Amino acid sequence: MTEHSDRHHERFHYSEDDVQREVTELEAKSATAARIFDLRRIIGGLFVVYGIIVTITGITDSQSAIDKAQGVNINLWTGIGMLLLGIFFLAWLKLRPTPPPLPPQGPADEERAG
């Protein structure tokens, strides 16, 4: 029984370099996931899509629908506003991207620095 467990541990023994490489890869994946799921991207994308839909609805509205809104083509103006807001969020994301996370300060880092 102990021989089997010794072989099991030998097979899964990782060096410090292996662990560090794995941690670096996971940090890179985490940073990528943070950029992909940035709320500005989601909010901006949704506002652009809905803005396009509402703007098209406003362009194709009949005169009776406009008259119901006291002569204001509310769908057109709301759609344009939504488009502008969505473009603002996407431009903000492009101009000010999420910075990559700072590497954690562990005891090994402090020993190298000192």
Side-chain angles (χ1 to χ4, degrees), residues 16-93:
E16 190 171 327
D17 290 337
D18 292 336
V19 172
Q20 186 62 37
R21 184 173 45 251
E22 186 72 23
V23 167
T24 304
E25 289 174 10
L26 289 173
E27 285 175 347
K29 289 178 183 178
S30 175
T32 301
R35 283 191 296 272
I36 289 173
F37 294 110
D38 190 339
L39 285 179
R40 295 174 293 181
R41 180 182 316 268
I42 296 168
I43 292 170
L46 285 174
F47 267 98
V48 167
V49 169
Y50 290 139
I52 290 170
I53 293 169
V54 175
T55 301
I56 291 171
T57 302
I59 291 170
T60 60
D61 268 348
S62 64
Q63 188 59 42
S64 64
I66 295 171
D67 290 340
K68 285 181 186 178
Q70 298 179 354
V72 177
N73 193 342
I74 194 71
N75 286 331
L76 180 64
W77 289 110
T78 303
I80 291 171
M82 291 173 78
L83 272 171
L84 291 175
L85 184 62
I87 290 169
F88 167 76
F89 271 95
L90 295 176
W92 180 23
L93 177 68

